[in-house]
Amino acid sequence: MATRTQIYKEILREYDALRTEQAAKLRQRKEEIYRRLPRVREIDETLSMLGVQTAKLVLLKPGDMQDALVEMRAKQKELQTERRMLLESIGLTPADMELKYVCETCKDTGYVDNVPCTCLKQKVMDKLYDQSNVRDIVKVENFDHFDVRLYSEQVSKKEGISPRENAMQILRQALAFVENFADGGQNLLLYGATGLGKTFLCSCIAKELLDQGYVVLYLTAGQLFRKLEEIRFSKDEDGEKEEWDKELLEADLLIID
Ligand SMILES: [Zn+2]
């Protein structure tokens, strides 16, 4: 199994590739826009020159510094307004001329003030557990798709309530679990025969919490135990095992299906 260092290296390479790709896309986008609106290129060139020109002016005539700055800011504002209006004329905004990030929080670097971003933690989890992408697992399911009408209204003699009423109670509890998640400490155990919707509910919960920025680990019991065994009984290269033990528990939510 890959060591911790290997996994981090691989992920940081992915971030790198992602930033390179986004930068290339931006260059392409800009060229296309400049082709359609040559005036925008002129404006951009002028804007980047403006600072230099002002600096020169200040050096040559230090006494006029205040006036020069005021004039520069006015010119800047005027050009930016013109630029925005030009872009809007073809259905774009100034944001289309800037880098786009998959994760706005860390700007696709994996870190915010040297602290790992949630997206980095999630990637580590995904790699550690060969979890292809938790978002793919939960893509389709969300609470909006939970249809209680699929359950019978017929009251069961054994349970004293109908399967539909039972499903609604479970749904309420699942929603409460998500709502109170930030307060922590609660576990949720769903049990019953196959095909009743446990996996579906798990996915709904995972999706909701992923959207709220939590790190989610979604595994079958088999996957989890295989991974624990692998860590427990594999050779301890560079004493990394202990670190992994810690990371295993780093997920905010662990779903064992
Ligand atoms: Zn991030």
Side-chain angles (χ1 to χ4, degrees), residues 103 106 117 119:
C103 178
C106 66
C117 181
C119 71

Side-chain angles (χ1 to χ4, degrees), residues 10-75:
E10 196 181 321
I11 292 174
L12 292 178
R13 260 204 307 275
E14 284 173 16
Y15 278 118
D16 221 29
L18 184 62
R19 287 196 308 271
T20 310
E21 189 192 318
Q22 298 296 65
K25 278 189 185 158
L26 174 64
R27 271 197 303 278
Q28 254 177 17
R29 246 188 350 260
K30 270 190 170 171
E31 277 313 313
E32 173 63 16
I33 293 169
Y34 286 156
R35 199 182 55 74
R36 293 174 69 187
L37 302 168
R39 172 70 186 141
V40 173
R41 188 197 293 272
E42 266 174 40
I43 293 176
D44 281 356
E45 282 166 3
T46 313
L47 278 171
S48 64
M49 290 295 290
L50 216 52
V52 182
Q53 284 169 351
T54 312
K56 269 188 193 161
L57 205 76
V58 168
L59 284 174
L60 291 173
K61 298 180 185 170
D64 298 345
M65 190 172 100
Q66 210 52 37
D67 290 347
L69 284 178
V70 171
E71 202 184 312
M72 180 193 76
R73 293 214 179 97
K75 184 82 187 147

